[in-house]
Amino acid sequence: MPAWGPAGPGEPAPTHSWSADPAGRPVVSFAEPETFGERTRVRTGPRTAAAALCLVLGLGLITGAVTGKWLLGDAEDDGARNAYGTAGALWHNVPVDELFPPTVEGTGAGPGGADRTWTRIAVAPDSGCAHAFDPLLDRALAPVGCRRLLRATYTDATQSYVTTVGLLFTKADPAAMAALAARFRAEHLDRRTDLMPRPYAAAGSAAAAFGDRQRASWTLTVLTDAPVVAYAVSGWADGRVVDAPQPAADAVRSGATTAPAQAGLGNEAQGLADRVERRLRTTIGTATETSS
């Protein structure tokens, strides 16, 4: 197993540089002096005075605009950092029902826009990430570290399907999360069948037989505005083996004919993951406002 460690240092602070006029010309030129005998003085007529006044006013406006931009930028950066830090602490600050509610309504989440209702049947104890992912996925996620893993398993209204949804809270900074998200997009790591999250099978529940070989469809998203990786994996509740699991993004496409697609298991994974992710973002927003 790879060592889940902290990500690398964050991005350096931005710097500002100023450059002189490339031709070396003065920005403002005043009137040439007049000579009266041995005394020299500068003639400052109305036009010169007006130009000087415009210069002063212009510099004041520019300075004010630049200062305002800096202040606004600093405020926005502080807000983003505050939200990011708040998100990273949610795993131990928020009740489980707030992240994984007992019932989740999926209006229009099923095949053809059908409604779905999911009922929570098991909640895993918060833990580390050991054995939670296929080995190659575990290795791909290792650069962002594993602070805590939260998981819950749901079943649909007919108890035909089971879906585990998870929130991996990482140790990474925004730069590391952005880099991981870019890698997943570029290499399509969220679509490879050898990089899948594993289900949480609770004894005595409808998901008791939900193991690795029962995984039918899955989705995984690396967030960039929070140190979180959100995912869901679905399968049949009767424990049947699935020989060809399919990513939810492919299974929900119109015209898909695979068994997971026809059964709507892509919709189960995608629908639950989307709603849990929305709840996470809402919770982050509320917690950030409260801490401000």
Side-chain angles (χ1 to χ4, degrees):
M1 296 292 295
W4 289 81
E11 292 179 310
T15 57
H16 300 278
S17 61
W18 299 88
S19 58
D21 182 274
R25 293 186 298 267
V27 178
V28 180
S29 59
F30 294 96
E32 291 292 329
E34 281 188 324
T35 303
F36 293 91
E38 295 183 0
R39 296 180 59 191
T40 301
R41 66 182 179 87
V42 178
R43 183 170 57 188
T44 56
R47 292 183 181 179
T48 302
L53 179 61
C54 289
L55 172 63
V56 172
L57 292 175
L59 289 175
L61 291 173
I62 293 173
T63 302
V66 171
T67 302
K69 185 176 181 181
W70 282 347
L71 291 174
L72 181 60
D74 288 345
E76 290 175 347
D77 290 344
D78 289 343
R81 283 193 292 268
N82 186 30
Y84 195 89
T86 299
L90 286 180
W91 66 269
H92 63 76
N93 290 340
V94 175
V96 64
D97 286 355
E98 201 164 320
L99 295 176
F100 302 129
T103 302
V104 177
E105 296 296 333
T107 304
D115 295 339
R116 281 284 190 269
T117 298
W118 296 286
T119 301
R120 193 184 68 200
I121 57 176
V123 176
D126 61 88
S127 65
C129 293
H131 312 300
F133 308 106
D134 280 350
L136 287 180
L137 177 57
D138 190 82
R139 189 180 305 170
L141 294 173
V144 296
C146 175
R147 188 177 302 280
R148 220 64 177 176
L149 177 63
L150 307 183
R151 294 174 292 173
T153 299
Y154 289 80
T155 187
D156 68 310
T158 66
Q159 295 195 350
S160 300
Y161 313 118
V162 285
T163 303
T164 293
V165 60
L167 296 173
L168 161 60
F169 289 81
T170 77
K171 300 177 180 180
D173 60 16
M177 293 299 292
L180 184 67
R183 184 189 175 198
F184 266 71
R185 286 193 304 270
E187 300 179 26
H188 307 292
L189 300 185
D190 56 340
R191 293 171 179 262
R192 286 176 45 170
T193 55
D194 56 348
L195 285 86
M196 293 172 60
R198 287 172 170 165
Y200 174 64
S205 73
F210 189 22
D212 287 357
R213 299 187 64 194
Q214 284 70 39
R215 294 175 293 183
S217 190
W218 79 99
T219 182
L220 185 148
T221 303
V222 179
L223 306 187
T224 55
D225 54 350
V228 176
V229 177
Y231 68 87
V233 55
S234 62
W236 279 275
D238 61 8
R240 74 183 70 177
V241 172
V242 179
D243 294 325
Q246 186 177 31
D250 296 333
V252 300
R253 287 179 179 171
S254 177
T257 59
T258 63
Q262 292 292 307
L265 284 163
N267 298 83
E268 297 290 308
Q270 189 70 64
L272 254 177
D274 285 348
R275 281 150 185 82
V276 168
E277 185 178 327
R278 290 177 202 168
R279 291 187 68 89
L280 173 67
R281 293 183 186 279
T282 300
T283 303
I284 292 171
T286 302
T288 302
E289 291 174 1
T290 301
S291 63
S292 297

